[in-house]
Amino acid sequence: MREPDAASRGTSSLEQRMVALLRDSIGSMVSGAELASRLNVSRTAVWKLIHRLRAKGYSIEAIPSRGYCLHELPDVFTPGDLTSGLTTRRIGHIVQCITETDSTNTRAYRWAEAGAAEGSLIVAERQTAGKGRLGRRWESPSGVNLYCSVILRPTIPPAKASQLTFLSAVAVARTIETVTGLAPQIKWPNDILLNGRKVAGLLNEMSAETDGVHFIIVGIGLNINMRLDQFPDDLRYPATSLLLATGAPVARVAVARTLFTHLDQLYEEYLSQGFNHIRQEWVRRSAFQNRMVRVAVGDGYVEGVATGIADDGALLLDRGQGQTERIISGDVTAL
Ligand code: BT5
């Protein structure tokens, strides 16, 4: 496994600064002398950096006595591409990009235990043991989707931790809308749907004691350029990706940056104003709001009209005659 490509914003490596310079003038020539002077290195060092970047898949043209030209960015996650110019307040100041890991959540959890700062995040190209809820698996083929985990350290009681799942659902829905113009829907508790098919899943994990949260790992899996043949046959729900829903490949780095921006805005809003705004947007985007639903709970099921979510994340069902039932976990289908 390759070592993580990590960076703090403001302390990026020479290589990342070189990419940033070339990216700023993408499609046009930059002279070797200018690159050398901006990076404060020799022209031989510039040449070596160009070689390294080409080996990583950057398409850089070199014309003697004119300079270098970056034609297009490879669709690979690097800390520099994910964070340079990002104006987020809390999220994405420290980023790790990994080629392969078991689960970004597991890795982020260990990193948080070791003291990683709020907003630190991990992005992987591939997961070998991507986690869903209740021991289920998240299909994580290489190089086509986004698998990421963000470390948050809000000062809230553990009972409110699930609010962050709803926050991240709204962030993912906003992201899909911004990038594709499509209108995703949220299915309680943690699925994002496009045309009734699951395009993203969320898994939050927490470390806490009775009266306080140490940290919450917000895990997000979003299918971006996943093809039909990359989905296994036995998924619990029909699934899709942005590629399948729009008919065209989508730039993953742009999706990730948009997601971090929305997450950051919503998290700021959450810390300063509480959960209500987020609940309202969640309800507005909910697939089953005010609809008659059936929730499979254990061996049986409960039916009622979905009316919203409680502060602790419970789904509220109107069972008629003024009776409201709180559902803590279960699978919802519309009737
Ligand atoms: C989820 O679980 O939807 C949570 C998925 C969270 C994944 C992210 S990726 C980054 C971070 N690191 C991790 O290890 N996990 C998080 P659940 O509601 O239990 O749904 C799991 C079910 O969705 C599976 O049993 C399959 O039926 C289906 N599924 C698996 N992979 C899928 C995919 N790529 N797209 C759509 N559906 C999938």
Side-chain angles (χ1 to χ4, degrees):
M1 188 188 7
R2 169 159 79 80
E3 270 307 291
D5 202 358
S8 306
R9 224 191 283 162
T11 60
S12 41
S13 70
L14 210 51
E15 204 173 289
Q16 285 153 10
R17 284 165 53 210
M18 168 77 110
V19 171
L21 287 175
L22 292 169
R23 193 189 40 215
D24 287 347
S25 42
I26 196 159
S28 47
M29 283 284 164
V30 191
S31 74
E34 180 178 350
L35 290 171
S37 110
R38 301 273 298 268
L39 296 171
N40 202 16
V41 296
S42 69
R43 291 180 63 170
T44 318
V46 167
W47 178 236
K48 282 185 185 155
L49 278 168
I50 295 283
H51 265 278
R52 283 223 300 268
L53 290 173
R54 280 178 169 167
K56 285 186 172 179
Y58 288 85
S59 133
I60 302 172
E61 187 184 2
I63 300 184
S65 76
R66 282 194 59 204
Y68 304 97
C69 172
L70 174 63
H71 287 293
E72 59 182 354
L73 285 171
D75 196 24
V76 176
F77 294 124
T78 67
D81 290 342
L82 286 177
T83 64
S84 75
L86 205 65
T87 54
T88 52
R89 177 141 178 228
R90 291 168 203 266
I91 289 175
H93 286 263
I94 303 176
V95 175
Q96 275 188 35
C97 292
I98 305 163
T99 308
E100 178 182 302
T101 187
D102 49 356
S103 147
T104 55
N105 265 31
T106 306
R107 197 157 176 146
Y109 200 99
R110 286 199 299 267
W111 197 21
E113 280 181 321
E118 167 153 278
S120 305
L121 64 90
I122 297 188
V123 174
E125 293 287 346
R126 168 171 187 249
Q127 295 183 117
T128 52
K131 294 191 283 186
R133 289 177 304 146
L134 310 169
R136 296 195 282 247
R137 190 182 150 78
W138 187 254
E139 295 300 326
S140 312
S142 182
V144 285
N145 293 334
L146 174 65
Y147 317 111
C148 72
S149 299
V150 185
I151 297 170
L152 298 180
R153 297 181 179 276
T155 314
I156 55 171
K160 290 192 172 174
S162 67
Q163 295 177 348
L164 274 310
T165 311
F166 299 105
L167 185 155
S168 56
V170 171
V172 172
R174 281 190 186 181
T175 301
I176 294 172
E177 201 171 81
T178 313
V179 172
T180 66
L182 300 174
Q185 289 192 307
I186 305 176
K187 178 169 172 273
W188 185 86
N190 68 340
D191 294 348
I192 315 294
L193 311 177
L194 268 178
N195 308 323
R197 293 170 170 270
K198 184 161 173 170
V199 68
L202 311 164
L203 179 69
N204 285 9
E205 294 180 86
M206 156 173 78
S207 160
E209 52 193 88
T210 330
D211 50 357
V213 162
H214 299 306
F215 59 80
I216 295 174
I217 307 298
V218 175
I220 299 172
L222 170 57
N223 300 335
I224 301 181
N225 292 324
M226 196 167 171
R227 300 181 311 270
L228 217 45
D229 62 285
Q230 290 176 306
F231 288 99
D233 299 329
D234 60 344
L235 294 184
R236 294 169 69 245
Y237 304 109
T240 191
S241 66
L242 301 187
L243 167 72
L244 294 174
T246 62
V250 177
R252 292 185 307 150
V253 172
V255 176
R257 289 172 62 99
T258 308
L259 175 64
F260 302 153
T261 305
H262 284 308
L263 266 179
D264 189 72
Q265 278 166 3
L266 286 160
Y267 189 51
E268 281 300 314
E269 201 173 301
Y270 175 74
L271 293 179
S272 59
Q273 299 167 43
F275 184 51
N276 257 336
H277 271 75
I278 287 153
R279 186 197 336 249
Q280 279 163 17
E281 185 167 341
W282 187 93
V283 161
R284 190 165 59 70
R285 294 176 180 278
S286 161
F288 298 146
Q289 184 65 16
N290 295 327
R291 286 179 65 181
M292 189 72 183
V293 296
R294 172 177 291 171
V295 191
V297 182
D299 288 341
Y301 62 83
V302 188
E303 290 179 356
V305 174
T307 57
I309 42 173
D311 268 2
D312 62 357
L315 178 69
L316 301 176
L317 285 192
D318 180 351
R319 306 257 286 141
Q321 284 142 9
Q323 194 197 340
T324 297
E325 180 132 357
R326 291 165 40 82
I327 309 289
I328 303 296
S329 72
D331 274 321
V332 187
T333 43
L335 285 177

